[in-house]
Amino acid sequence: YFVAMDGDLPVGMSNLKRCLAEPERLDVGLTGVRREYRRRGLCTALKVRANLWARENGYARIVTDNEANNPMYAINVAMGFRPMPAFITFHAQGLA
């Protein structure tokens, strides 16, 4: 976990999770910034710090996902993440 603080107030966070199937890979769990602190570069700073930590600790790859209309998508692309083919999840209803 990486946390951005304003004094004693946590204002943003990002975390990485190990991928047990691929030991050289980390997955981004969640990155977010309090609404009143957005658009100040905190999200990007948190992601940069997480990426540096991953590199310093020998990880080869970081994977993340988000919906294309989410502002995080543009941040991820700017950080160098490459979009991959989408997937669709189906749920069946009314099965009894």
Side-chain angles (χ1 to χ4, degrees):
Y1 280 84
F2 302 90
V3 179
M5 302 291 293
D6 183 3
D8 292 334
L9 179 67
V11 297
M13 62 83 61
S14 186
N15 74 305
L16 300 171
K17 302 181 291 185
R18 287 185 298 166
C19 176
L20 297 179
E22 299 177 48
E24 75 286 352
R25 169 182 154 180
L26 292 169
D27 294 319
V28 177
L30 176 68
T31 300
V33 174
R34 292 173 73 103
R35 187 175 310 277
E36 61 272 25
Y37 286 83
R38 292 180 185 164
R39 310 249 184 252
R40 299 183 191 186
L42 291 173
C43 183
T44 299
L46 285 163
K47 291 181 83 71
V48 166
R49 181 64 189 103
N51 287 0
L52 288 173
W53 181 90
R55 184 180 300 142
E56 291 166 357
N57 286 278
Y59 291 94
R61 203 160 73 104
I62 299 176
V63 176
T64 190
D65 59 38
N66 58 269
E67 201 274 326
N69 294 317
N70 186 314
M72 188 63 71
Y73 181 84
I75 293 170
N76 285 329
V77 170
M79 294 277 310
F81 287 93
R82 293 184 315 254
M84 301 298 289
F87 62 91
I88 299 172
T89 302
F90 295 92
H91 296 273
Q93 294 185 18
L95 301 177

